[in-house]
Every structure is written in structure tokens, then in C-alpha cells.
Amino acid sequence: QVRLVESGGGLVQAGGSLRLSCAASGRTFSNNDVGWFRQAPGKEREFVAAIRWSVGSTYYADSVKGRFTISRDNAKNTVYLLMNSLKPEDTAVYYCASQYARWTLQRGVNEYDYWGQGTQVTVSS
């Protein structure tokens, strides 16, 4: 079974940047898609970005396009989410999730099988 551990969250001022990491153990991401999701207070968990490990193709929610970048490091078996130009509305618990690769990258929470514990991102105004 895949085990996922997120890190890199914290407090940052609006306009600043953070880089989140999602490290996998148990198996590699080689045959998987990896997604980032977030859940803000009073809101449902929402899709942020996803990457197909095998080829590096990506998919982003409209709310983060042009600001966030999802990437991978093959040697470290780690997926990153670089968040630039952060806004207070980006404040949420961020989760990474993984699934065996489908035909296309998915944005639905229920499409992903393995989840990390989450890391808090707080953006101050």
C-alpha cells in the first residue's frame, strides 16, 4: 500500500510562496497519478492540481492556474506543489493523494485511493 506524507506548510504573507512536498513510501509513483487537494474551513475538499508521474503531464484548477506548479522528482519519489502569489483564499489544509493511473487525470476526491495526513497552509493579508 502507498503511504503519503505531506510537508512544507506554514504561515506566509499574501504574495509570498511556499513549496509543499508529498513523499511516497511502500511503492513508487511510477504507475500512478498524484493530486493535490485542499479543504478550507466550512468548505468541501477541492481539487488543486494533478500530475501523471510517468510522463509529467499536469492539470490545474482554474483558481490556481498561473500561480501554482505541480512537479515531480524521480530520484526522491516526491511530488511538489510550488505555490506562488499566495492569496488569503488559498488558506486551507492541503492534501496529496494518489491513484493508479487512469485514462485521463482526475479531479474528483473519490477517484483517489491513497491520502496523506494534510499540511496546513495559512496566508495572511
Side-chain angles (χ1 to χ4, degrees):
Q1 186 175 4
V2 177
R3 302 181 187 92
L4 306 177
V5 179
E6 304 100 329
S7 62
L11 176 65
V12 66
Q13 195 172 28
S17 299
L18 284 174
R19 190 180 73 165
L20 307 183
S21 299
C22 175
S25 62
R27 64 166 66 184
T28 68
F29 284 129
S30 60
N31 298 317
N32 283 55
D33 296 331
V34 181
W36 283 97
F37 295 79
R38 65 187 183 187
Q39 188 164 19
K43 295 185 177 181
E44 295 184 348
R45 192 169 298 185
E46 66 175 353
F47 171 79
V48 175
I51 186 168
R52 175 150 293 175
W53 186 272
S54 60
V55 296
S57 56
T58 58
Y59 177 45
Y60 296 92
D62 289 342
S63 60
V64 305
K65 284 182 179 177
R67 299 189 299 122
F68 291 11
T69 303
I70 187 170
S71 62
R72 73 203 195 287
D73 186 320
N74 292 335
K76 296 181 178 180
N77 200 35
T78 298
V79 171
Y80 301 99
L81 184 68
L82 176 61
M83 305 183 293
N84 293 322
S85 302
L86 282 163
K87 305 173 182 179
E89 52 262 44
D90 294 318
T91 295
V93 176
Y94 283 72
Y95 301 88
C96 75
S98 181
Q99 63 173 303
Y100 190 82
R102 265 72 157 171
W103 179 25
T104 60
L105 291 171
Q106 304 295 310
R107 64 183 294 134
V109 170
N110 293 335
E111 299 293 335
Y112 290 80
D113 300 315
Y114 307 105
W115 292 82
Q117 81 288 348
T119 185
Q120 176 71 48
V121 172
T122 302
V123 184
S124 62
S125 59

